[in-house]
Amino acid sequence: MNFASDNTAGVSPEVLEAITQANTGSALPYGNDDLTAKIEKRFNEFFEYETTSFLVPTGTAANALALSALAPSYGSIYCHRDAHINCDECGAPEFYTAGAKLVTLHGPHGKLHSGELETTLSATSTAVHHNQPAAISISQASEAGTIYGLGEIHQLSEVAKENGLYLHMDGARFANALCTLGASPADMTWKSGVDVLCFGATKNGAMSAEAVIFFNQDLAQSFGYKRKRGGHLFSKMRYLAAQWDAYLTNDLWFKNASHANAMAQMLKSGLENLPGAELYYQVEANEVFISMPENVLKVLENAGYVFYRWHDAASPVIRLVTSFETKEEDVKGFIETARAAS
Amino acid sequence: MNFASDNTAGVSPEVLEAITQANTGSALPYGNDDLTAKIEKRFNEFFEYETTSFLVPTGTAANALALSALAPSYGSIYCHRDAHINCDECGAPEFYTAGAKLVTLHGPHGKLHSGELETTLSATSTAVHHNQPAAISISQASEAGTIYGLGEIHQLSEVAKENGLYLHMDGARFANALCTLGASPADMTWKSGVDVLCFGATKNGAMSAEAVIFFNQDLAQSFGYKRKRGGHLFSKMRYLAAQWDAYLTNDLWFKNASHANAMAQMLKSGLENLPGAELYYQVEANEVFISMPENVLKVLENAGYVFYRWHDAASPVIRLVTSFETKEEDVKGFIETARAAS
Amino acid sequence: MNFASDNTAGVSPEVLEAITQANTGSALPYGNDDLTAKIEKRFNEFFEYETTSFLVPTGTAANALALSALAPSYGSIYCHRDAHINCDECGAPEFYTAGAKLVTLHGPHGKLHSGELETTLSATSTAVHHNQPAAISISQASEAGTIYGLGEIHQLSEVAKENGLYLHMDGARFANALCTLGASPADMTWKSGVDVLCFGATKNGAMSAEAVIFFNQDLAQSFGYKRKRGGHLFSKMRYLAAQWDAYLTNDLWFKNASHANAMAQMLKSGLENLPGAELYYQVEANEVFISMPENVLKVLENAGYVFYRWHDAASPVIRLVTSFETKEEDVKGFIETARAAS
Amino acid sequence: MNFASDNTAGVSPEVLEAITQANTGSALPYGNDDLTAKIEKRFNEFFEYETTSFLVPTGTAANALALSALAPSYGSIYCHRDAHINCDECGAPEFYTAGAKLVTLHGPHGKLHSGELETTLSATSTAVHHNQPAAISISQASEAGTIYGLGEIHQLSEVAKENGLYLHMDGARFANALCTLGASPADMTWKSGVDVLCFGATKNGAMSAEAVIFFNQDLAQSFGYKRKRGGHLFSKMRYLAAQWDAYLTNDLWFKNASHANAMAQMLKSGLENLPGAELYYQVEANEVFISMPENVLKVLENAGYVFYRWHDAASPVIRLVTSFETKEEDVKGFIETARAAS
C-alpha cells in the first residue's frame, strides 16, 4: 500500500539470487573480476555500441560523476528546474564538478524544451565574466513521470551539437521510458545523440546498482580516477556486477518496468474521472501526479495508503509511484477507496 | 590460494542471509527504515556510548567524509606517509575537504609516533600563510599490519587535545586490531580519545559496509548533507544495515577477524625461520610482510599463489593478507612450497 | 564620451597622491603595516561600529570570499537572477564556497522581494536531499541601478533572521546608494540587519580597492586564511590601504558618487521625454537603462558614444553608466545628439 | 635596517610614475586596454617567444592558477618540501586545483634533485588508487636563495617530458636568478623546457604585479575563466600593465635585482668569516642564510636590525633578505655591528 516511491520497494529475487551465486571463491577486487568484465560486454550488446562503462552504487553518484566528465568548473549545465540533479542531490553536481553552475529552464511537462534552450544559449557569451555552456542534462523518464520522444531527444542533441555542448541523460527510470516508447536502448541513447547515460537499476529491482555508460568514450578518460576519488569504487565489485547480470538477463529490466508502468496506468484510469480529480502531468512511466479533493486524500491516508503531497504537505496534488513490486490488489484497493470517498 | 588482499574474499554466509531476510515488503528509503534505526542502537551498545553513526558503502568514502567533518579547507591532517588516506584513495580526502593538506610523518612500524608529531606541531604557526593543524589520522590496524597499543592511542589523543586537533581512526581492519589487543571497542576508541572512527566490515566478511561513528557528536552535524552530496546515501539502506546486523550478531566480526589473524600468525611462524627469510614488520593483525629469496618467490608464484611484491614488482618483500575465508590448507601449502624451495 | 561602465574611468587624483605618499621607507608586509591598521579603525568610525575588515583587490574576490564565510558547501544563497554574483563572476561564489548553490529570484526593479523570498524559503526542507538555506545576497545599488530603501533592507533581514540566514550586501556601488538615500553608512548596513558588506571603492575612484566589512564578527574567524588561500592577501598592503585612506578622507567617496549620480539624473531628464524613449528601470544611482529608437542609437554610436546594448547587441534598451569622471559636456552632447536624431 | 623580506620594500619611482602616467582618460576594462595589449607584446620580445600571458596581483594567485592549468584534481605536483607553494600559500594550490596533491621531495640546497625525482616517479602507478603525476614545480630563485643552473633545469625538464609531466617555474625572484646566471630570459625558461612561468615583479620594485607566462600555449586555454573565477581579473587593468611597462623599460628589473644581489653578496662577504658564523645555504640571489652566535644576534636585534630567525624564534640561523631599496650603509652598519659583537 506504499506509493511513496519506487525506492521503498525491495529487490527482485533474481537479483538476490545472482548476488548469492557470485559468492564463490576469491575474485580480483576493484572491478578487475570476471563478472564485471562480462557486464561491460553485455552493456555493449544491450546498446549495440562500443561503450565505456562504470558501475557505481547510487544515482546521485552516477549523475554527479558523469557531469564532472562533461563540464569544467567554470561551465554551465542546462537542466529542467525540477531535475533531480537540481533539486534532490544536495548539490552533488556542484561538488563533483568543483562548482559548475546548473542553469534551470522551465519547459512544460517537466521536460526541457529545445526552443527555450536555444533562446537561452543564444544569450550566452564567451566573455570571461560568465560561466561557459558545457552540457545539457535531461531525465528519461523525467521527474514528472513524462517521457521525451526520440524526436525530442534528437532535437535537444542538435542544439547541443550546434553549441558545442554534451548531452547527458539521467536514466534513473530508463527502463520505464524504454517500455513506454517501445524503442531500443540504442534508439533512445547514442542514436539520438546522447553522450553519456546514467543507467539506473536500483529503482527497478536492483539493490544498489547504477552504471555510467559513455557513448562518447573520449569523455571517459579520467572517470576511473574520479570514481575512486569520490569513494565510489567498490572493492568487492562482483556483487555490483551480479546485480546487473540479473537485471539484463531474461529481460528482467523489461518485466519489472512494464509491470510498474502498467500499475501506473491502472491508477490513472481508475482515478482521473473521479469527481474533482485532475491529472497534473501525463502518465507516461511509473508515476501518477493527480489532484484530488482534500477529503478524499484524508480518507486514503487514514486507510493506510502512503504517498507524497506534491510540493508540500498541504497540496491537493499527490504523487503515486509504482514499482515492480506494486500489487494489483493494492492499486485496486486504492482506487476503490478513492471512489467510495468521492 | 589468494593472499593478495582481504578484498579478494567473498561475503560471509551470515551476511548474505541477513540481506535476503531484509528483502520483505516495503521500507522507508534513505536510512529511515527500521533496520537502520536498529543498527544505530546496536552501535551504541557495541561501543557503550551514545554515538551518531552513518552507514556508507566504501572505506574511502568513510575516511574522506569523516575527515571533511574534522578539517576545514585550509586545515592540515597529520598521518603516516604510508596511510591509506595518503597513498591509496586517489586524493579523496583532499576532494572531500575541499583541499586540506595531508602532512605525512615517518614513524616506525607504519605508525604515527607521538614525539615526531609533537615536534612537527611545535613548528607550526597560526599565521595566515600556513595550513592550520586540524586533525590526526591513525589506522588501526595500520597499513603495515601493526597495531597501536591503547597507551599509544591515548598518547596521540593527548597531543591532539593539547593542540586543539581531532583524532580520526581509520578502522578498515578494526576487528583485526580488537582481536589482537583483546580490548573492548570502547577501550580502543572513545576511552582512548578517538573523536571519530571509520568502522570497516567489508574486508572482514561484509559485501560493502562501512560506518562512520562519531563519539564527538558535535562533529556530526552536517555529515548527513555531505554524505548525500557525495552520492553515498543509499536509497535502499536496509541492505546496508542488514550487513551490519549480521556482522554484529553472534560476534561474527570476532569470529572472522580472529580466524584471519590466526592464519597470518601461522604464515609468520612457518616462514620467518626459513633460510633468507626476514620479517619486514611485526605481524599483529592479518598481514605478513616478509622478504624471501627471489627464487623462492618465483616458485611460489609458479605454483599459483597470488600475493603482492611490496613497493614494486622487483622487491623481494612480499605482502600476504589473510581473511575470514583463508583456508588452513592453503596456508600450509604455501609454507610447504616455500620450505621446499628454500 | 564613454558610458559603457564606471570601470572605464581612471583613478581620483587624491587616490594616486595617497599611493605616492605611502611610498616611503619599509613597512611590514601582509597587512601588518600602520596604514592598514589605521584604515581598520577608520572603518569602525565610518560605520559607527566595531567591525572586522579585510582589504581585497576586486569586487569578485570580496563577494566570493564573503559568501564563503556565510554558506557551507551544501548551502543555498538567495539572490536576484540579475545579480553580479550570479551573472558576472564566472562562478566565483561557487568556487569559493566549494559548490554552494545560488538560488535566483525574479523580483521587480532588479531587487529581491521579501515576499517572493519568504514563499521560496517556506518551500524548503531540512531533508538531506536538498541544499540548505544559508544566506541572502542583495546588491546596493542593484545591477539595475536601483536602490533598496532602508525599510526594504530591514524587511529582508527580518526574513533572514526568521529563517536562520545571513544577509550579505554587495556594495560595489555602495557610495552611490548612500548618496541617493541620504542615509548613514550605519543605517544602510548593521542597523538594517546586514551581516557582511562588500564595500567597493574601485568603481568610484580607487584603482583596485574593495573591503569586506564584517558586522557579525563571528563570521570573520577564518576569513584571513581564506583570503590568503585565494591569493588575495597583498604583500605590499599599504598601497591598498592608501587608496582607502584617500577615499574616506574629505568625503571623497561622497564627492565622487554624488557627481556620478547627478550625471545620471541629467541623462535621464534629457532623454526620457524624447519621442520613442522609455525608461527601463528607475534611475536611482549612476546607471540609466532606457530604450530608444534604433535609428537614434545608430546616430549616437556613429558619433562616437560608447555604451552597451542591454541583453544583446540588437536590443534597443541601452545602459548608460556615469562615473566620478563623467563630464557634464559629454552628457549634454549625448542628449543633444539624441534629441537631434529623434 | 629591515632585512626581514623583500616585501617590506616600497615601489620603484619608475613604477609609480608609470601608474600616474596611465591615469589619463577612459580605458576599456578587464585587460582590453591598450597598455595591457602592449605588455603582452613586450613579454614576447622579452622571452623571444610567442607566449600567452596573464597579469595577476599576487604571487600566490599566479602560482595557484598556473598549477590549476597543469594538474587535474586527481594529479600530483612534485615540489621541494620548502617550496613556497607547499609552505607559505595556505593551501592555495590545493584550492585552485580542486585538491591536487603536492608531493614533497628533499633535495639539497633547497632545490629539486632530478635523481630523487626520477626515483619517486618510477615508483608511481597508473592504478586508480593513486594520484597521477602531473607537474613539477621549481622556484627560481629557490626559497633557500639558491639558483638552478640551466643544466639543472634542463635535466628536470627531461624528467618531466619522459614522464608526461609539465614543468612550472615559480619566478617570484626570477630577475634575481637571471642576474646571477647571466642568462637570457629565453635560456632560463622555454629553452630549458619550462612550460609556464610565474614571473614576479612585486618583490623587485613593483607594487603588486605578477604575470603568468605560458610558453606551452595549449595550457592557457581556460586560464582566463579561472582567473576571473578566482577574483583576480582587475577591472582597471591598465594600472597593473603600467607597472610591468616600467619594470621592463630601461632594464629596471635588472637594475633592481642586481643591486639586491650585490647587497646580499656584501652581507655574505662581511659576515661569513666572523667567529662562529657559518653559511647555511650558498648565497646566489638576494637572500643570506647564516648562523651566528646568539649573543651577536641579540646585539643586532637590540640595534634595531630586523630579520627572521629561520625555522623558529630560538634558531641561531637567520635569514637576511635584500631588495632594490637596501642601502649600502645599512649593510655596512649591519656588518660592523656584527663584527664588533663577535
Side-chain angles (χ1 to χ4, degrees), chain D residues 94-146:
Chain D
E94 287 91 340
F95 177 43
Y96 277 86
T97 59
K101 192 184 280 286
L102 302 190
V103 179
T104 58
L105 302 176
H106 296 189
H109 312 301
K111 299 191 287 184
L112 278 192
H113 186 266
S114 61
E116 186 190 0
L117 189 56
E118 276 184 310
T119 305
T120 302
L121 285 167
S122 72
T124 63
S125 138
T126 59
V128 295
H129 308 284
H130 318 300
N131 278 55
Q132 292 301 298
I136 298 167
S137 175
I138 59 176
S139 303
Q140 180 76 324
S142 81
E143 291 297 300
T146 54

Side-chain angles (χ1 to χ4, degrees), chain A residues 70-143:
Chain A
L70 307 186
S73 60
Y74 54 89
S76 290
I77 298 160
Y78 297 84
C79 66
H80 195 277
R81 64 171 164 181
D82 296 335
H84 200 267
I85 61 168
N86 186 48
C87 302
D88 300 300
E89 300 187 348
C90 200
E94 288 91 339
F95 176 43
Y96 276 87
T97 59
K101 192 185 281 285
L102 301 190
V103 179
T104 58
L105 302 176
H106 297 187
H109 313 303
K111 298 191 287 184
L112 278 192
H113 185 266
S114 62
E116 185 190 1
L117 188 57
E118 276 184 310
T119 305
T120 302
L121 285 168
S122 72
T124 63
S125 140
T126 59
V128 295
H129 308 285
H130 317 301
N131 278 55
Q132 293 302 297
I136 297 167
S137 176
I138 59 175
S139 304
Q140 180 77 325
S142 80
E143 291 297 301

Side-chain angles (χ1 to χ4, degrees), chain D residues 117-181:
Chain D
L117 189 56
E118 276 184 310
T119 305
T120 302
L121 285 167
S122 72
T124 63
S125 138
T126 59
V128 295
H129 308 284
H130 318 300
N131 278 55
Q132 292 301 298
I136 298 167
S137 175
I138 59 176
S139 303
Q140 180 76 324
S142 81
E143 291 297 300
T146 54
I147 305 281
Y148 288 89
L150 297 186
E152 287 176 294
I153 303 173
H154 191 74
Q155 239 175 333
L156 288 164
S157 83
E158 285 301 305
V159 177
K161 280 198 194 72
E162 280 158 23
N163 290 276
L165 311 186
Y166 297 114
L167 183 56
H168 164 257
M169 180 179 277
D170 174 353
R173 295 187 179 96
F174 186 76
N176 303 87
L178 269 187
C179 289
T180 298
L181 286 184

Side-chain angles (χ1 to χ4, degrees), chain C residues 118-238:
Chain C
E118 276 185 311
T119 305
T120 302
L121 285 169
S122 72
T124 62
S125 137
T126 59
V128 295
H129 308 284
H130 318 301
N131 279 55
Q132 293 302 298
I136 298 167
S137 175
I138 59 175
S139 303
Q140 178 79 321
S142 81
E143 291 298 299
T146 53
I147 304 280
Y148 289 89
L150 297 187
E152 287 176 295
I153 303 172
H154 191 73
Q155 241 174 333
L156 288 164
S157 83
E158 286 299 305
V159 177
K161 280 197 194 71
E162 280 158 23
N163 290 275
L165 311 185
Y166 297 114
L167 182 57
H168 165 255
M169 180 179 278
D170 174 352
R173 295 186 179 97
F174 186 77
N176 303 88
L178 268 188
C179 290
T180 298
L181 285 185
S184 77
D187 285 340
M188 209 163 81
T189 55
W190 61 273
K191 285 189 179 173
S192 293
V194 172
D195 290 295
V196 59
L197 165 71
C198 293
F199 187 7
T202 309
K203 288 179 190 290
N204 193 35
M207 185 183 291
S208 62
E210 310 280 316
V212 180
I213 312 284
F214 284 94
F215 302 104
N216 183 335
Q217 296 191 57
D218 291 345
L219 296 170
Q221 282 180 356
S222 63
F223 195 92
Y225 298 108
K226 289 180 178 168
R227 176 174 62 170
K228 172 65 191 180
R229 184 171 175 76
H232 292 292
L233 178 64
F234 271 40
S235 54
K236 298 182 176 176
M237 186 72 92
R238 53 174 147 165

Side-chain angles (χ1 to χ4, degrees), chain B residues 108-272:
Chain B
H109 314 302
K111 299 191 287 183
L112 279 192
H113 186 266
S114 61
E116 185 190 1
L117 188 57
E118 276 185 311
T119 305
T120 302
L121 285 169
S122 71
T124 63
S125 138
T126 59
V128 295
H129 308 284
H130 318 301
N131 279 55
Q132 293 301 299
I136 298 167
S137 176
I138 58 175
S139 304
Q140 178 79 322
S142 81
E143 291 298 300
T146 53
I147 305 280
Y148 289 88
L150 297 186
E152 287 176 294
I153 303 172
H154 191 74
Q155 240 174 334
L156 289 163
S157 84
E158 286 299 305
V159 177
K161 281 198 194 71
E162 279 157 24
N163 290 276
L165 311 185
Y166 297 116
L167 182 56
H168 164 256
M169 180 180 278
D170 174 353
R173 295 187 178 97
F174 186 77
N176 303 88
L178 270 187
C179 290
T180 297
L181 285 186
S184 76
D187 286 338
M188 210 164 80
T189 55
W190 61 274
K191 285 190 178 172
S192 294
V194 172
D195 290 296
V196 58
L197 165 72
C198 292
F199 186 8
T202 309
K203 289 180 190 292
N204 192 36
M207 185 184 291
S208 62
E210 310 279 315
V212 180
I213 312 283
F214 284 94
F215 302 103
N216 183 335
Q217 295 190 59
D218 292 345
L219 296 169
Q221 282 180 355
S222 62
F223 194 92
Y225 298 108
K226 290 180 177 168
R227 177 175 61 171
K228 173 66 191 179
R229 184 171 176 74
H232 291 291
L233 178 64
F234 271 39
S235 54
K236 299 182 177 177
M237 186 73 91
R238 54 174 146 166
Y239 303 99
L240 247 174
Q243 296 180 56
W244 276 105
D245 199 24
Y247 192 67
L248 297 179
T249 298
N250 295 330
D251 294 335
L252 178 61
W253 62 273
F254 182 84
K255 195 185 80 178
N256 282 357
S258 54
H259 174 77
N261 287 3
M263 291 300 99
Q265 288 299 330
M266 187 182 287
L267 276 169
K268 176 202 160 193
S269 305
L271 299 173
E272 67 181 331

Side-chain angles (χ1 to χ4, degrees), chain C residues 5-325:
Chain C
S5 172
D6 29 13
N7 283 329
T8 65
V11 173
S12 278
E14 296 89 335
V15 170
L16 262 186
E17 177 60 23
I19 288 174
T20 305
Q21 290 301 325
N23 196 35
T24 50
S26 64
L28 286 175
Y30 298 116
N32 296 313
D33 60 287
D34 295 341
L35 203 47
T36 301
K38 177 184 169 192
I39 288 304
E40 290 169 358
K41 281 187 193 144
R42 293 200 71 168
F43 281 138
N44 291 352
E45 293 160 17
F46 188 74
F47 288 104
E48 306 169 52
Y49 205 75
E50 193 73 21
T51 70
T52 302
S53 58
F54 298 87
L55 307 185
V56 294
T58 73
T60 295
N63 282 332
L65 278 165
L67 291 170
S68 81
L70 307 187
S73 61
Y74 54 89
S76 291
I77 298 161
Y78 296 84
C79 65
H80 196 275
R81 65 172 164 182
D82 296 335
H84 200 267
I85 61 168
N86 186 49
C87 300
D88 300 300
E89 301 188 348
C90 200
E94 287 92 340
F95 176 41
Y96 276 87
T97 59
K101 191 184 280 286
L102 301 190
V103 178
T104 58
L105 303 176
H106 296 189
H109 314 302
K111 298 191 287 184
L112 278 192
H113 186 266
S114 61
E116 186 190 2
L117 188 57
E118 276 185 311
T119 305
T120 302
L121 285 169
S122 72
T124 62
S125 137
T126 59
V128 295
H129 308 284
H130 318 301
N131 279 55
Q132 293 302 298
I136 298 167
S137 175
I138 59 175
S139 303
Q140 178 79 321
S142 81
E143 291 298 299
T146 53
I147 304 280
Y148 289 89
L150 297 187
E152 287 176 295
I153 303 172
H154 191 73
Q155 241 174 333
L156 288 164
S157 83
E158 286 299 305
V159 177
K161 280 197 194 71
E162 280 158 23
N163 290 275
L165 311 185
Y166 297 114
L167 182 57
H168 165 255
M169 180 179 278
D170 174 352
R173 295 186 179 97
F174 186 77
N176 303 88
L178 268 188
C179 290
T180 298
L181 285 185
S184 77
D187 285 340
M188 209 163 81
T189 55
W190 61 273
K191 285 189 179 173
S192 293
V194 172
D195 290 295
V196 59
L197 165 71
C198 293
F199 187 7
T202 309
K203 288 179 190 290
N204 193 35
M207 185 183 291
S208 62
E210 310 280 316
V212 180
I213 312 284
F214 284 94
F215 302 104
N216 183 335
Q217 296 191 57
D218 291 345
L219 296 170
Q221 282 180 356
S222 63
F223 195 92
Y225 298 108
K226 289 180 178 168
R227 176 174 62 170
K228 172 65 191 180
R229 184 171 175 76
H232 292 292
L233 178 64
F234 271 40
S235 54
K236 298 182 176 176
M237 186 72 92
R238 53 174 147 165
Y239 303 99
L240 248 175
Q243 296 180 57
W244 277 105
D245 200 24
Y247 192 68
L248 297 179
T249 297
N250 295 329
D251 293 336
L252 177 62
W253 63 272
F254 182 83
K255 195 185 80 177
N256 282 357
S258 55
H259 174 78
N261 286 4
M263 292 300 99
Q265 288 300 328
M266 186 182 286
L267 277 170
K268 176 204 160 190
S269 305
L271 298 174
E272 67 181 332
N273 295 320
L274 295 184
E278 189 178 10
L279 282 180
Y280 192 75
Y281 289 121
Q282 290 304 308
V283 178
E284 299 175 354
N286 64 324
E287 298 185 284
V288 178
F289 291 84
I290 191 168
S291 63
M292 294 206 288
E294 184 55 35
N295 66 309
V296 179
L297 296 183
K298 280 285 186 333
V299 169
L300 285 162
E301 286 168 341
N302 290 337
Y305 291 101
V306 181
F307 48 81
Y308 278 109
R309 304 287 189 126
W310 207 231
H311 302 318
D312 61 71
S315 165
V317 177
I318 62 171
R319 184 186 79 163
L320 304 169
V321 191
T322 56
S323 81
F324 77 99
E325 276 192 346

